[in-house]
Amino acid sequence: MASAQTSPTGKPNSARSKARRRALEILFEAEQRDVSALSAMTARRIVADQVINVYTVDLVEGVTAMQESIDEYLQTYSQGWTLERMPAVDRIILRIGTWELLFNDDVPDAVAVSEAVELAKTLSTDESPQFVNGLLGRLQQVKPTLLA
């Protein structure tokens, strides 16, 4: 078995953690360039000759397919913050975390939340991890009613 690499914080960099980060990069790029996430992912494969992890594809396709519902949930439960007001990185981290939390039964809820918080710690502002944790924690609490 291969040993797990560690991040600068000393935490293991699992294949899924790396896939989440790559999905965030693709979704962020798509939003910034105002192109579809699927075309941004395809461009990375062709132009950069990049191999894209299967879970990255699952995340990008899942978030893209469910984005309208995800954004509605985020808008409803983010107290005092519109989606437009959120930093773009936070918005995309929250979309990935929400998709994993609500629509991917392969990822335990606690893992979906903690992975999103880790992304926020690494890639966003000092306040972002707490915001991401609070919002996804709230969605986790109401998950049974959202999916009923």
Side-chain angles (χ1 to χ4, degrees), residues 74-85:
L74 292 175
Q75 189 72 48
T76 300
Y77 291 97
S78 62
Q79 299 173 344
W81 285 84
T82 62
L83 283 173
E84 296 78 25
R85 189 171 162 226

Side-chain angles (χ1 to χ4, degrees), residues 2-147:
S3 64
Q5 295 177 346
T6 57
S7 70
T9 61
K11 299 203 181 226
N13 278 336
S14 73
R16 281 208 166 174
S17 293
K18 289 177 186 176
R20 287 179 186 94
R21 186 172 178 139
R22 180 67 51 87
L24 183 144
E25 292 168 358
I26 291 167
L27 291 164
F28 183 84
E29 176 184 339
E31 185 173 288
Q32 295 303 305
R33 291 182 168 191
D34 199 23
V35 298
S36 81
L38 300 177
S39 66
M41 187 167 51
T42 301
R44 281 180 174 235
R45 283 181 167 152
I46 295 168
V47 175
D49 196 28
Q50 215 173 55
V51 176
I52 310 260
N53 178 301
V54 172
Y55 194 60
T56 299
V57 175
D58 290 347
L59 286 166
V60 170
E61 289 177 347
V63 168
T64 300
M66 300 305 297
Q67 186 168 328
E68 189 173 325
S69 296
I70 289 168
D71 285 357
E72 183 178 321
Y73 297 143
L74 292 175
Q75 189 72 48
T76 300
Y77 291 97
S78 62
Q79 299 173 344
W81 285 84
T82 62
L83 283 173
E84 296 78 25
R85 189 171 162 226
M86 291 176 197
V89 170
D90 292 1
R91 184 172 49 247
I92 294 165
I93 290 169
L94 285 163
R95 285 175 178 155
I96 291 169
T98 301
W99 182 79
E100 285 191 306
L101 182 67
L102 299 180
F103 304 108
N104 186 352
D105 295 334
D106 293 340
V107 177
D109 291 356
V111 172
V113 174
S114 68
E115 287 285 335
V117 170
E118 282 303 312
L119 281 171
K121 283 180 186 176
T122 306
L123 301 171
S124 198
T125 68
D126 290 343
E127 296 80 26
S128 294
Q130 184 176 355
F131 177 69
V132 167
N133 187 55
L135 183 46
L136 291 179
R138 180 68 181 130
L139 290 175
Q140 185 178 359
Q141 288 175 337
V142 299
K143 179 179 176 178
T145 59
L146 295 176
L147 300 178

